[in-house]
Amino acid sequence: MEKVTVFDLIERMSALLRSEERKKCTEFGLQSVHLQILDYLSRCNKYSDTPAALANYLGMTRGTVSQTLLLLEKKAYVNKTTDTTDRRVVHLSLLPNGKAMLQQARPTELFDQAADLLVSDKLSNYDEMLVSMLTALQKSNKSQSFGICKTCQYFTVSPDVHLCGLTREALTEDDSGKICQEHRAL
Amino acid sequence: MEKVTVFDLIERMSALLRSEERKKCTEFGLQSVHLQILDYLSRCNKYSDTPAALANYLGMTRGTVSQTLLLLEKKAYVNKTTDTTDRRVVHLSLLPNGKAMLQQARPTELFDQAADLLVSDKLSNYDEMLVSMLTALQKSNKSQSFGICKTCQYFTVSPDVHLCGLTREALTEDDSGKICQEHRAL
DNA sequence: ATTATAAAGTATCGAATCGAAACATAAAGC
DNA sequence: GCTTTATGTTTCGATTCGATACTTTATAAT
């Protein structure tokens, strides 16, 4: 049963990261949801920085998200602005405070130390394999994949510009590396 | 910066699993901590099935763990028995209800589907690599590694029996595949 | 032996989370 | 225009969580 063990290992790593995250959170007086929200906001593109997308991504109700955002706003971690074209929609953005917190709370040392222990010339292989595993997971999670923009079936790259085939909008290099709620895996 | 991206990928997968877990939880009227506790109890060996170990593993206070366990007991998911030699210690065990819940809530379909998408003859390689990555993470997380018993420096295997070098006790095949709080990576 | 110290677990309290349901507002369909 | 749908907020009650103080048991020190 190779199938099981491979993803068991992923699950184990995930558990390890979660517990590490929890410790960091209590250290900084946060809840792990807060950190997840900050993390998401740092990674999502302009189509996906709304409360509704957050609720979808994290699997929470919109009411709960609204509450949590109030708190994060009070702490000056995030900022709200209403969309200019659709006035129901709110866009969220990370404030400097929030970015700083995220920087501190991510398990950077853990990763760095772990990476040092791995034989470095094997790293490129790891990379490739993990990408295919992640893609496989995202495809299976078909409800809404929340994948990286440039790995989307709607993403097209003309000689000079990146383009989202769904919204027909041009994308910055930066945006195309971020999470999109409209993502459809290839 | 290969180091960063490799573990970034792990982090992405972890985030995906977490959000999947959260959805499952609301579906069954649980909190994600509850599921984490059930999961831990299904994976830990007899030295590590105590409230204190749980608190350590999950990064919660003992008080909080105590509260949560009350609830899980009320729902007939777990069971407490006091240790015979050290009467301060409580051992926890999963009841049938808890096992059933865990079975339902784990992202099995997700994993199965993802595995089907991966080229199967590459799976053994994935396996090997992931093990070394997990080990690296555990080593780095030096506080308490909570690793698998048989990968511990105290684990010894005589011709017929497995043995824990720390407690000098014999171990079942089953036990040696489980999580131990006394684990020290090789 | 007796005392002191440490460890495992519990109880209580207040702040915060969370989901459910009701509500408001804006856009889209017909 | 009227209805339907979508985004977001509010309110409420149940639950979680951490901090603190506490009980009980084991171990160490004298």
Side-chain angles (χ1 to χ4, degrees):
Chain A
M1 269 297 163
E2 289 284 11
K3 284 183 189 179
V4 186
T5 49
V6 167
F7 287 107
D8 252 21
L9 289 166
I10 298 285
E11 217 178 10
R12 286 297 83 207
M13 287 194 247
S14 176
L16 199 150
L17 290 184
R18 250 196 317 235
S19 91
E20 195 61 20
E21 182 188 71
R22 197 184 280 276
K23 283 169 199 163
K24 291 269 190 175
C25 281
T26 51
E27 190 178 331
F28 293 115
L30 283 176
Q31 218 70 23
S32 73
V33 197
H34 299 165
L35 221 54
Q36 286 174 49
I37 289 180
L38 296 184
D39 179 67
Y40 176 78
L41 290 181
S42 78
R43 293 172 181 280
C44 72
N45 69 10
K46 57 182 172 179
Y47 304 126
S48 316
D49 60 355
T50 68
L54 247 178
N56 241 313
Y57 182 71
L58 295 177
M60 307 162 68
T61 63
R62 289 200 305 276
T64 303
V65 168
S66 188
Q67 285 306 305
T68 309
L69 285 177
L70 276 183
L71 188 138
L72 291 178
E73 233 183 332
K74 206 169 61 187
K75 291 195 176 184
Y77 289 157
V78 305
N79 178 266
K80 293 182 191 170
T81 48
T82 41
D83 191 295
T84 47
T85 65
D86 186 338
R87 305 200 30 229
R88 291 172 306 180
V89 176
V90 168
H91 290 282
L92 304 165
S93 63
L94 269 184
L95 294 177
N97 259 351
K99 284 182 187 169
M101 174 56 64
L102 195 53
Q103 200 61 32
Q104 284 185 297
R106 292 191 64 201
T108 325
E109 317 91 53
L110 186 67
F111 283 165
D112 284 350
Q113 287 169 23
D116 288 342
L117 293 176
L118 290 172
V119 187
S120 53
D121 62 4
K122 279 189 182 173
L123 274 176
S124 53
N125 293 335
Y126 285 159
D127 205 7
E128 188 186 326
M129 290 195 168
L130 289 173
V131 168
S132 54
M133 294 182 69
L134 180 55
T135 311
L137 275 174
Q138 286 178 337
K139 276 187 201 166
S140 309
N141 186 25
K142 45 186 167 297
S143 49
Q144 243 177 316
S145 59
F146 281 100
I148 304 296
C149 176
K150 65 181 165 195
T151 68
C152 173
Q153 55 174 298
Y154 294 120
F155 180 76
T156 51
V157 48
S158 316
D160 228 25
V161 295
H162 304 302
L163 189 78
C164 172
L166 205 61
T167 63
R168 301 270 165 211
E169 273 190 306
L171 298 165
T172 65
E173 176 76 30
D174 191 47
D175 256 335
S176 65
K178 291 187 165 179
I179 298 174
C180 183
Q181 66 170 332
E182 309 293 349
H183 185 271
R184 298 288 181 281
L186 284 166
Chain B
M1 268 301 163
E2 290 285 13
K3 285 182 188 178
V4 186
T5 50
V6 167
F7 287 107
D8 252 21
L9 289 165
I10 298 285
E11 216 179 11
R12 284 299 81 205
M13 286 194 247
S14 177
L16 199 150
L17 290 183
R18 250 195 318 233
S19 93
E20 196 61 22
E21 182 188 70
R22 196 183 282 275
K23 283 170 199 162
K24 292 270 190 174
C25 281
T26 53
E27 190 179 331
F28 295 115
L30 283 177
Q31 218 71 22
S32 71
V33 196
H34 299 165
L35 220 54
Q36 286 174 46
I37 289 179
L38 297 183
D39 180 66
Y40 176 79
L41 290 180
S42 79
R43 292 172 183 281
C44 72
N45 68 9
K46 58 182 173 178
Y47 304 127
S48 317
D49 59 356
T50 67
L54 249 178
N56 240 313
Y57 182 71
L58 295 177
M60 307 162 67
T61 63
R62 289 200 305 276
T64 303
V65 168
S66 187
Q67 286 307 303
T68 308
L69 286 176
L70 276 182
L71 188 138
L72 291 177
E73 231 182 333
K74 206 169 63 189
K75 291 193 175 185
Y77 290 157
V78 304
N79 178 266
K80 292 182 193 171
T81 48
T82 41
D83 191 296
T84 46
T85 65
D86 186 340
R87 303 196 34 228
R88 293 172 305 179
V89 177
V90 168
H91 290 283
L92 304 165
S93 64
L94 270 183
L95 293 177
N97 259 350
K99 283 182 188 169
M101 175 56 62
L102 196 54
Q103 199 62 32
Q104 285 186 297
R106 291 191 65 200
T108 324
E109 317 90 52
L110 186 67
F111 282 165
D112 284 350
Q113 288 170 21
D116 287 342
L117 293 176
L118 291 172
V119 187
S120 52
D121 62 5
K122 280 189 182 174
L123 276 176
S124 52
N125 291 333
Y126 285 159
D127 205 6
E128 189 187 326
M129 291 198 167
L130 289 173
V131 168
S132 54
M133 295 182 69
L134 179 54
T135 312
L137 275 175
Q138 286 177 335
K139 277 186 199 166
S140 309
N141 186 24
K142 45 186 168 297
S143 49
Q144 242 178 315
S145 58
F146 280 101
I148 304 298
C149 176
K150 65 181 164 194
T151 68
C152 173
Q153 55 173 298
Y154 294 119
F155 180 77
T156 51
V157 49
S158 317
D160 228 24
V161 296
H162 303 302
L163 189 79
C164 172
L166 204 60
T167 62
R168 301 269 164 212
E169 274 189 306
L171 299 166
T172 66
E173 177 76 29
D174 191 46
D175 256 335
S176 64
K178 290 187 167 179
I179 297 175
C180 183
Q181 66 169 333
E182 309 294 349
H183 184 272
R184 299 287 181 282
L186 284 168

